[in-house]
Amino acid sequence: MNTLLDLSDRLYLDVADFAHSTPHWFQWLAEVWTEAGLLLFGVLFLAGWWRSREGSSRAMALALLAPLATAFGYVVSEAFKSLVDEERPCRAVAGAPASLVACPPHGDWSFPSNHSAIAGAAAIALALSWRGIVWLTVPMALLMAFSRVFVGVHYPHDVTVGLLVGALVAFVVMRAARRPVGSLVGTARSSRNSAVVWCAGRGQAAHAATHAPAHSEQPRRARHGAY
């Protein structure tokens, strides 16, 4: 265990030295991404919900579960953080250069990384609810985790465990809750409340019915023109 922690210390120093050797604009991008990446995941949640309004109840259930599963990932990570009092590397590692962002106060512990847990959970939750987007969300999560080490506020083992915890929790929540939430979506779509229906979407059947008259007009005109 101590060997792994020593390795994490050395990796942290290597990344910190690399960060200080990069141009100021690159450092600024890393500082922005470490927070803005979370906002981008939020935008993807909204886009996933919107695109699922005309999809199946299962698709809408997964889209609604994605942010909820991510929130569970954060809660589990925060629970671990309260149990492990690990000081931030920007204070604990001797000889480390100053962190690029302000070092969090004492008591805001380092292990695991909540940012990484959120990113890992969001990446997996979105991948399960939106086919093909894994090629975007996983690199986003990895960059988010790396940025936390790059700016100097986490060890490599903090972000690695954060990613894994968030991803695992999100996977379990998405798999366990998709059927009951799918049933709730089906019920919501049959509601007489227009606001509820708008939020849940009308689904595939309503979408097909809306477009059916446009497809049936042409054959009827053709029959009329034959006389």
Side-chain angles (χ1 to χ4, degrees):
M1 187 62 156
N2 288 335
T3 302
L4 290 176
L5 293 178
D6 290 342
L7 175 61
S8 190
D9 282 0
R10 292 196 296 272
L11 286 174
Y12 173 80
L13 287 171
D14 289 341
V15 173
D17 289 338
F18 168 70
H20 279 268
S21 70
T22 58
H24 288 295
W25 62 266
F26 190 86
Q27 296 176 12
W28 178 81
L29 283 177
E31 293 174 32
V32 170
W33 175 249
T34 195
E35 301 294 344
L38 299 179
L39 297 178
L40 184 52
F41 277 121
V43 171
L44 290 175
F45 287 143
L46 288 174
W49 160 74
W50 184 260
R51 71 187 292 273
S52 299
R53 292 174 71 251
E54 294 179 350
S56 66
S57 294
R58 179 182 180 277
M60 175 54 77
L62 290 174
L64 293 175
L65 278 170
L68 181 63
T70 302
F72 270 97
Y74 164 76
V75 170
V76 172
S77 174
E78 183 63 28
F80 275 116
K81 189 183 288 284
S82 66
L83 296 174
V84 182
D85 298 347
E86 179 187 77
E87 188 58 271
R88 296 277 180 166
C90 39
R91 269 191 299 274
V93 177
S99 56
L100 299 182
V101 298
C103 194
H106 178 75
D108 185 353
W109 306 117
S110 189
F111 179 88
S113 164
N114 283 343
H115 280 71
S116 300
I118 293 171
I124 296 304
L126 283 165
L128 291 174
S129 63
W130 189 338
R131 182 176 296 178
I133 203 172
V134 65
W135 304 110
L136 173 62
T137 59
V138 168
M140 282 175 58
L142 293 175
L143 282 174
M144 173 69 69
F146 178 75
S147 73
R148 300 302 289 168
V149 182
F150 186 91
V151 300
V153 294
H154 277 293
Y155 293 100
H157 67 268
D158 295 339
V159 300
T160 301
V161 173
L163 283 172
L164 294 175
V165 167
L168 179 60
V169 171
F171 180 83
V172 171
V173 171
M174 296 286 283
R175 290 294 186 182
R178 64 180 179 178
R179 287 187 178 179
V181 174
S183 298
L184 289 175
V185 170
T187 302
R189 285 178 167 177
S190 62
S191 172
R192 294 182 179 180
N193 187 310
S194 59
V196 172
V197 174
W198 184 85
C199 290
R202 295 189 176 275
Q204 293 171 322
H207 179 66
T210 302
H211 289 76
H215 295 301
S216 62
E217 283 295 321
Q218 188 172 356
R220 191 170 66 181
R221 290 197 193 101
R223 287 196 300 269
H224 288 171
Y227 290 110

